[in-house]
Amino acid sequence: DTMLNATSTLAVILTDVNDNNPIFTESTYRESVFEDALSSTTVVTVVATDADATTNAAIRYSITGGDDGRFEINELTGDITPVPPLDFESQNMYSISVLAVDMGDEVRNG
């Protein structure tokens, strides 16, 4: 009896699952800005990374508190800009909270 056989190669492509939270590159950002800064002035750019892939790693930013309406954030770049007028005499420091959220099906944040 002659045995006949065949072989085949199987390629398995893994799909990323959203299993990592965004992580800010700095735990605290400290910057200063002149009270007469224009709204086009970038005070700081916050940065978070996500170890996932594709949309699971795409990050959007938002300010969640502490800015009293005096700062805005570009949700895609993390650039924080002032909303004039700023007044040193009425408030000389802001402690702003920023949230980074990934764009996966099951959203994760950091």
Side-chain angles (χ1 to χ4, degrees):
D1 274 332
T2 303
M3 288 187 85
L4 302 175
N5 63 47
T7 61
S8 178
T9 302
L10 172 65
V12 177
I13 299 171
L14 298 179
T15 302
D16 182 54
V17 295
N18 194 19
D19 57 349
N20 292 288
N21 291 341
I23 299 172
F24 282 99
T25 57
E26 303 285 332
S27 59
T28 302
Y29 293 82
R30 295 187 187 275
E31 296 296 331
S32 61
V33 64
F34 290 108
E35 66 180 327
D36 63 351
L38 301 175
S39 61
S40 59
T41 303
T42 299
V43 177
V44 66
T45 300
V46 294
V47 177
T49 59
D50 190 312
D52 290 311
T54 65
T55 57
N56 293 334
I59 297 173
R60 293 199 187 264
Y61 302 93
S62 62
I63 293 176
T64 59
D67 69 317
D68 294 332
R70 292 281 157 237
F71 295 88
E72 292 180 340
I73 191 165
N74 180 305
E75 69 175 8
L76 299 177
T77 65
D79 291 347
I80 296 177
T81 54
V83 176
L86 300 176
D87 183 28
F88 176 86
E89 288 74 27
S90 62
Q91 186 164 355
N92 63 11
M93 190 182 89
Y94 293 87
S95 182
I96 302 171
S97 298
V98 174
L99 179 66
V101 177
D102 68 26
M103 301 309 296
D105 290 336
E106 294 182 24
V107 172
R108 299 179 69 96
N109 61 60

